[in-house]
Amino acid sequence: DLWRLDIDPAAVCEAYGAALQAAAAKIDRTRSDYIGVAIDLERQLPNIKWLAAARCDIGEAVAFLETRVRAVSDSPRLTGFADTLASIRQAR
């Protein structure tokens, strides 16, 4: 819940993008927990939206996450998550 804290988005932007991309790389069918990883990252949507609204350059990480989620999507929930990521990315 970064967006709830008194933090300058610019101060965490680069580190958050790198961490998001590293976490997204774990969404891989070769891992037994890939769906759990995707669902855990879905909980990051408020932070992603907050950073995107603050014009943080996390578009590459969000696009990578969207691609990874779509690659493993087997439910409307994950498809919806990927669609939300796409809308955040396209709104920039």
Side-chain angles (χ1 to χ4, degrees), residues 42 45 62 65-71 73 76-89:
E42 181 183 36
L45 277 174
V62 172
L65 175 57
E66 176 195 348
T67 299
R68 302 299 283 201
V69 171
R70 285 197 194 282
S73 180
R77 178 180 181 172
L78 288 180
T79 300
F81 177 35
D83 290 346
T84 300
L85 293 168
S87 69
I88 292 167
R89 190 173 43 77

Side-chain angles (χ1 to χ4, degrees), residues 23-58:
K26 295 177 183 176
I27 302 173
D28 189 312
R29 289 188 189 271
T30 62
R31 295 175 55 109
S32 62
D33 64 342
Y34 68 93
I35 295 293
V37 173
I39 289 170
D40 286 346
L41 288 173
E42 181 183 36
R43 293 185 196 124
Q44 289 295 313
L45 277 174
N47 290 330
I48 293 168
K49 289 177 180 179
W50 172 69
L51 289 168
R55 304 234 181 256
C56 279
D57 187 15
I58 59 168

Side-chain angles (χ1 to χ4, degrees), residues 6-27:
D6 186 22
I7 296 175
D8 177 11
V12 297
C13 194
E14 186 176 335
Y16 186 90
L20 184 63
Q21 192 147 358
K26 295 177 183 176
I27 302 173

